[in-house]
């Protein structure tokens, strides 16, 4: 009995001396698993197949053709306008569809309470925390980027990878090409 107590005290003293806890194995993850949360969410919505993260063997990224200081930057968000407050040319919120809207139309904020994010520890009262329109305009004025696109682009968070890849992404890309965008900044919420 005395030996066990002495051993425990030694372990405690050693931990205090180096400031670290002893290594322990865990039977569960000690971090938030977004894939598990996504699977649970979509299963609760009645989707029959478990959610799978998108995976690409070949990544469709390309190096910049010009310097960032000469490039036009476009923003892509998963936030939408509040139902009934969509500006002209933006489809109604339901069902969610990709859209392109003038950046000035978003200055009053976008609706995103239907999306999943850590609402206990953060908020979306600051537009630039999830759609940095003002910061990019400042960067353009400073010469850090060439320009910011006059429009930003919204894409729904969708369970269907196929629909995202075949419909939504090409539509967003077409609008960006139309607007002369060189760099896409993805700011999903």
């Amino acid at each position: 009995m005395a030996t066990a107590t002495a051993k425990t005290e030694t372990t405690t003293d050693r931990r205090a001396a180096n400031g670290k806890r002893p290594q322990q194995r865990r039977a569960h993850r000690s971090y938030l698993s977004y894939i598990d949360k996504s699977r649970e969410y979509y299963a609760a919505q009645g989707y029959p197949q478990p959610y799978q993260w998108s995976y690409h063997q070949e990544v469709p990224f390309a190096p910049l053709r010009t310097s960032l200081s000469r490039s036009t930057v476009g923003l892509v968000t998963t936030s939408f306008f509040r139902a009934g407050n969509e500006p002209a040319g933006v489809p109604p919120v339901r069902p969610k569809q990709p859209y392109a809207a003038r950046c000035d139309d978003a200055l009053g904020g976008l609706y995103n309470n239907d999306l999943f994010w850590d609402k206990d520890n953060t908020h979306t009262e600051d537009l630039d925390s999830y759609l940095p329109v003002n910061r990019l305009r400042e960067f353009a004025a400073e010469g850090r980027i060439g320009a910011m696109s006059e429009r930003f682009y919204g894409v729904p968070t969708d369970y269907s990878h196929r629909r995202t890849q075949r419909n939504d992404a090409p539509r967003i890309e077409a609008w960006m090409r139309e607007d002369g965008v060189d760099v896409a900044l993805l700011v999903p919420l």
Side-chain angles (χ1 to χ4, degrees):
M1 193 69 121
T3 308
T5 305
K7 189 173 185 179
T8 303
E9 289 173 3
T10 304
T11 303
T12 304
D13 293 343
R14 194 172 342 143
R15 185 174 5 149
N18 69 13
K20 295 182 180 179
R21 294 181 182 179
Q23 292 275 335
Q24 295 178 354
R25 293 185 181 260
R26 294 188 175 123
H28 62 279
R29 295 182 182 137
S30 61
Y31 55 89
L32 178 61
S33 173
Y34 286 100
I35 190 69
D36 292 337
K37 289 290 184 188
S38 296
R39 285 185 181 134
E40 291 168 10
Y41 169 75
Y42 286 113
Q45 300 298 314
Y47 289 95
Q49 294 180 335
Y51 182 82
Q52 295 178 7
W53 289 92
S54 185
Y55 180 81
H56 302 280
Q57 287 289 12
E58 296 179 28
V59 179
F61 294 102
L64 284 176
R65 294 185 183 146
T66 186
S67 68
L68 194 54
S69 63
R70 299 176 72 179
S71 298
T72 299
V73 178
L75 290 171
V76 181
T77 183
T78 54
S79 295
F80 277 70
F81 290 92
R82 185 174 297 280
N85 290 337
E86 301 90 350
V90 174
V93 171
R94 294 284 185 242
K96 286 187 175 181
Q97 301 171 44
Y99 69 92
R102 293 176 346 107
C103 290
D104 287 345
D105 290 336
L107 295 179
L110 296 173
Y111 180 75
N112 40 45
N113 285 340
D114 61 335
L115 299 176
F116 291 90
W117 44 277
D118 187 355
K119 294 175 179 133
D120 293 329
N121 294 301
T122 190
H123 60 79
T124 56
E125 295 166 17
D126 176 8
L127 175 70
D128 285 304
S129 70
Y130 65 94
L131 191 72
V133 171
N134 297 311
R135 299 297 77 80
L136 286 178
R137 286 178 172 170
E138 287 173 8
F139 289 171
E142 294 168 4
R144 295 171 75 177
I145 63 172
M148 183 183 162
S149 175
E150 290 296 316
R151 296 192 297 181
F152 72 99
Y153 315 91
V155 65
T157 54
D158 198 346
Y159 184 79
S160 172
H161 297 246
R162 186 173 355 116
R163 191 167 34 245
T164 299
Q165 291 174 338
R166 292 183 184 171
N167 301 341
D168 300 350
R171 189 178 296 172
I172 299 279
E173 180 187 12
W175 286 326
M176 288 186 152
R177 287 185 186 280
E178 199 176 287
D179 294 343
V181 171
D182 302 299
V183 177
L185 179 59
L186 309 178
V187 285
L189 188 61

